[in-house]
Structures are given as structure tokens and as C-alpha cells.
Amino acid sequence: MKRQGLFLAGLFLAAALVAPMATKTSATPQVSVRVYDRDHKDYHNWHDHEKRAYEGYRHDHSEFSVTFGKNTRKQQSDYWKWRHEHPDHN
């Protein structure tokens, strides 16, 4: 009888240790890049919608770098000004 109690206690201990790991796994990574807009004093999440909007903006403004972070502060400010004037409608 004592052996069964030890076995059950070990089983519950193992389940208690494994349960937190099972809840933290997800299919999509939760990595989010946030970019600060100095002029509007807000943050923007840099996700697929933002990438597409930036690519559209770059198409009309060829002086912008491929990577947003490599642009000058003035260029970034100009982009955020345009972005606030052209929000996503989703």
C-alpha cells in the first residue's frame, strides 16, 4: 500500500512539473517589434500590415532605405506622418 502512495505522489509531482511547460507552447511565436513615433508620441507594432504599408510608401519615395531603421530620423518622421494619414482599415 505504501508503494502505491509513493507511486501516486511521484506521478502527481511529475504532472505538476510538466504542466507549466505545456501551457507556454504556441504555434506562432509572440515576438513583436514596436517602433516609437516621436512626433505623435505613440508606438507602432511592426508586423506584416506595417511591412506592406512601408513597401507601398517606399514605392512612391525611392530615397528611403529598404530597412526602416536605416533611414534618417527625418525620413522616419515623414513616414509616420504619412502612416497616421493613411491608417489600416481592417
Side-chain angles (χ1 to χ4, degrees):
M1 187 70 154
K2 189 174 182 179
R3 263 185 138 169
Q4 284 180 337
L6 286 175
F7 176 75
L8 286 175
L11 190 61
F12 283 120
L13 178 62
L17 293 174
V18 172
M21 288 185 251
T23 60
K24 291 194 176 206
T25 59
S26 64
T28 58
Q30 297 299 318
V31 177
S32 177
V33 176
R34 294 178 69 200
V35 182
Y36 185 68
D37 178 1
R38 292 175 187 265
D39 295 334
H40 293 94
K41 295 178 177 59
D42 62 351
Y43 285 92
H44 298 269
N45 291 323
W46 198 266
H47 45 58
D48 289 339
H49 293 293
E50 198 64 53
K51 286 179 188 175
R52 275 184 256 136
Y54 181 65
E55 289 302 316
Y57 184 76
R58 274 194 58 239
H59 180 69
D60 297 334
H61 301 83
S62 60
E63 71 274 9
F64 276 69
S65 175
V66 173
T67 306
F68 179 78
K70 292 184 179 180
N71 291 319
T72 65
R73 189 174 288 175
K74 169 86 170 85
Q75 287 174 319
Q76 289 179 1
S77 178
D78 290 345
Y79 171 72
W80 290 127
K81 181 179 181 227
W82 176 85
R83 193 68 176 103
H84 277 273
E85 294 169 357
H86 299 84
D88 287 336
H89 297 289
N90 54 355

